[in-house]
Each structure stands twice: as C-alpha cells, then as structure tokens.
Amino acid sequence: MQYADIVIAVLGAFVLAWTADLLTGRRGLFATSLVSGVAAVAGWFLAVRVFGVSTMDGWTWVAWSLAASAIALATFFLFRTKR
C-alpha cells in the first residue's frame, strides 16, 4: 500500500483530537480536529521541508506529525479562554 503512512497520519491526528475531546469533557470535536489537523501538517512540514530529518518515503515524519498534533492540542486546552 503506497499511501499507508499518510492514512495513518490522518487517522492518528483524528484519534488524538477525539481522545483530547473526550478527556476534557467538551463537545467541540470540530475545533479539536481543526487544531490537530493543522498541527499535523505543521509537523510534517517541519520534519520534511525545514529540518530535513525525514522524507516522504520514511515513517519518521509520521511521528513528528503526531507529536506536533499532541503538543498543539495540549496548548489549545491550556490557553483556551473560558467563558
């Protein structure tokens, strides 16, 4: 399967968003999915284009993508304003 790493990165980012939404007790799955998805793309960009630690042929960029997603979700819930 040629695009398995991309599918795993997308599903991983969504699972992280869904888990974060469940753990925080909020019902904002769209917002957490948006944060997670944008951060996953940013993690890919940092790994492949900026630092050059991986290529699209390897699996290292998937770890970078999911790590960026987890960090962004943590900061999203940490600095989100409460009403």
Side-chain angles (χ1 to χ4, degrees), residues 9 14 21 30 34 39 45-47 50 53 57 61-63 68 70 75 79-81:
F14 181 74
D21 187 49
F30 177 75
L34 183 64
F45 185 77
L46 285 174
V50 175
V53 297
D57 295 334
W61 70 268
V62 176
T75 56
F79 295 111
R80 186 175 169 182
T81 58

Side-chain angles (χ1 to χ4, degrees), residues 2-72:
Q2 186 177 5
Y3 299 108
D5 51 353
I6 297 172
V7 171
I8 289 173
V10 169
L11 289 176
F14 181 74
V15 166
L16 282 173
W18 182 61
T19 305
D21 187 49
L22 285 177
L23 289 176
T24 57
R26 298 199 173 92
R27 297 290 179 228
L29 186 58
F30 177 75
T32 56
S33 296
L34 183 64
V35 168
S36 182
V38 169
V41 170
W44 165 81
F45 185 77
L46 285 174
V48 175
R49 304 294 286 166
V50 175
F51 296 125
V53 297
S54 179
T55 62
M56 287 296 290
D57 295 334
W59 286 85
T60 309
W61 70 268
V62 176
W64 276 69
S65 179
L66 294 179
S69 178
I71 291 169

